[in-house]
DNA sequence: ACTTATTTGTTCGTATGTATG
DNA sequence: ACATACATACGAACAAATAAG
């Protein structure tokens, strides 16, 4: 028998990693809890601390745990699966995941369409847009913050309505738009700036997912354009084909 | 007439932002070049430096420019549009964007399937997997680095074949698999660690897009699972519905 | 404000089994 | 058969950040 591997042929550090992953999955190590110290895990598995560190590094790379120097290693809360489909509604997605969805209006205003937004919405530059800035949460935890623009002429007093209804979908329904569909979604990532950190309750320097999307009416007419920033550590986009 | 807006009704900072965006688009400010200093831009537009800062902040939020304290503000290179569709092939996507795609084999090895990979691939835990670690580039610029696993029993000597062919698609074709499709893609974001930074030629602390995906044969049988990390500042995923 | 203990992060060294040629 | 390179594993010590008193 080798030192590095047993008869199974699986590296020791990987077996330790699998074991810890299992303990996370079955709730032995609950979400957001602190794992035992590296030396303690090493004693538990009768391996060297380096072996434990290799295992934890593998789990950290996959986002299952997070090491904090001087403090400990913690189980990451699972990310909300956020499917990007033809039908994509924040509240439906969050509710379907068993969480309580909520939207908080940050500001609503009328502004004149800059070039790029006007182009996406099929309007003229300078056309009046209703802009809604909102923070969306799941179980009181901020998930994303962003701005949404719609043609202001089509939805008079839309800002006040949103404040009451807390849902863009409902505001649109009030104006007779029963359904709409996601046309395209652009996704990239950035580092949380001070504004993100404050509104999303994130530490500075944490990653955010930067999303730009267009919704259209069922006949293909542009309806909603929005730009938002998601706390990457709380969501995982899912694209199914 | 208000102080903040002229007769057009467009905020001053937004007009400055639009102007700078235009200059970036038409090549007046080339990719990766340094913008004039904030005071200089302010003089050009006859506005206060604060107005310029507001404009630059808006562009930075959208990822068009990047401010470096003590150095200057730089034009970000445009991100490669990376569609996530049923048919998703790195080289095709990059070539279609007018870039030169390349793949560099980092390592190929046989390893035993851990629980999660085995489950995704429909194999038993411990089954032999061919693992290919590769770095993919566009125009010599690293785009993503990741690991790909396939059933080792189905593709003997797949590692050596990949080394020659530089393409998973071609290796599979060699074994008679003419086509496959993307089943699902999971996307989230993280911060580049030392390994990412070295392999992707990124600064520490920059964001990476973390992707896990499954490809299947046309009959739905699991074929390829892979985990990769994309330099977020160089790609933008596009989901079209 | 300071000290002390704990915990992760880093860098040495040593040894062994595996793969390559 | 041998040399070399590499991954794996263990041991020890110290640095750096954090938490507690």
């Amino acid at each position: 028998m080798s030192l590095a591997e047993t008869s199974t042929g699986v590296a020791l550090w990987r077996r330790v990693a699998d074991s810890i992953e299992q303990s996370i999955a079955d709730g032995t190590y609950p979400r957001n809890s602190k794992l035992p110290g590296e030396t303690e895990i090493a004693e538990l598995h009768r391996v060297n601390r380096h072996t434990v560190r290799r295992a934890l590094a593998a789990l950290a790379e996959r986002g299952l745990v997070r090491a904090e120097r001087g403090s400990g290693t913690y189980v990451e809360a699972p990310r909300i699966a956020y499917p990007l489909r033809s039908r994509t509604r924040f509240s439906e997605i969050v509710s379907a995941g068993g969480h309580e969805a909520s939207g908080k209006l940050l500001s609503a205003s009328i502004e004149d369409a800059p070039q790029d937004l006007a182009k996406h919405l099929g309007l003229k530059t300078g056309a009046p847009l209703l802009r809604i800035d909102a923070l969306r949460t799941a179980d009181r935890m901020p998930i994303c913050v962003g701005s949404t623009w719609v043609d202001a002429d089509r939805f008079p007093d839309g800002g006040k309505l949103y404040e009451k209804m807390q849902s863009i979908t409902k505001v649109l329904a009030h104006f007779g738009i029963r359904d709409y569909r996601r046309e395209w979604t652009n996704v990239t990532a950035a580092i949380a700036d001070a504004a993100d950190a404050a509104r999303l309750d994130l530490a500075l320097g944490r990653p955010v997912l930067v999303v730009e999307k267009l919704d259209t009416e069922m006949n293909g007419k542009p309806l909603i354009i929005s730009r938002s920033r998601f706390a990457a550590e709380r969501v995982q986009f899912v694209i199914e084909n």
Side-chain angles (χ1 to χ4, degrees), chain A residues 19-53:
Chain A
S19 164
I20 296 173
E21 185 176 356
Q22 192 65 43
S23 298
I24 291 173
D26 67 22
T28 306
Y29 299 141
R31 317 298 164 192
N32 291 315
S33 69
K34 186 166 169 293
L35 290 185
E38 292 174 352
T39 52
E40 195 174 336
I41 298 179
E43 286 165 10
L44 276 173
H45 290 82
R46 312 291 188 89
V47 299
N48 189 274
R49 184 172 156 237
H50 286 303
T51 310
V52 174
R53 285 183 58 74

Side-chain angles (χ1 to χ4, degrees), chain A residues 175-186:
Chain A
F175 285 96
I177 295 179
R178 287 163 35 210
D179 204 4
Y180 58 93
R181 67 188 299 274
R182 179 66 58 93
E183 185 71 15
W184 49 256
T185 311
N186 288 343

Side-chain angles (χ1 to χ4, degrees), chain A residues 9-125:
Chain A
V10 178
L12 240 189
W13 65 264
R14 192 181 292 278
R15 289 192 297 171
V16 174
D18 281 347
S19 164
I20 296 173
E21 185 176 356
Q22 192 65 43
S23 298
I24 291 173
D26 67 22
T28 306
Y29 299 141
R31 317 298 164 192
N32 291 315
S33 69
K34 186 166 169 293
L35 290 185
E38 292 174 352
T39 52
E40 195 174 336
I41 298 179
E43 286 165 10
L44 276 173
H45 290 82
R46 312 291 188 89
V47 299
N48 189 274
R49 184 172 156 237
H50 286 303
T51 310
V52 174
R53 285 183 58 74
R54 183 93 158 80
L56 290 175
L59 296 179
E61 173 134 346
R62 287 175 45 207
L64 272 69
V65 303
R66 155 184 43 93
E68 288 183 14
R69 180 182 198 169
S71 172
T73 306
Y74 299 83
V75 180
E76 288 269 26
R79 293 176 160 92
I80 294 177
Y82 198 98
L84 299 177
R85 291 191 287 248
S86 171
R87 180 175 181 86
T88 297
R89 311 274 190 278
F90 180 83
S91 57
E92 288 180 13
I93 288 169
V94 171
S95 304
H99 302 93
E100 186 196 356
S102 169
K104 183 188 168 198
L105 178 68
L106 298 178
S107 73
S109 58
I110 306 291
E111 63 181 36
D112 301 271
Q115 290 173 16
D116 50 343
L117 292 184
K119 194 176 171 192
H120 287 314
L121 284 173
L123 301 173
K124 284 181 183 156
T125 300

Side-chain angles (χ1 to χ4, degrees), chain A residues 190-208 233:
Chain A
I191 301 300
D193 58 26
D196 297 327
R199 297 182 298 183
L200 291 172
D201 192 21
L202 271 181
L204 273 172
R206 302 298 303 162
V208 292
E233 55 202 51

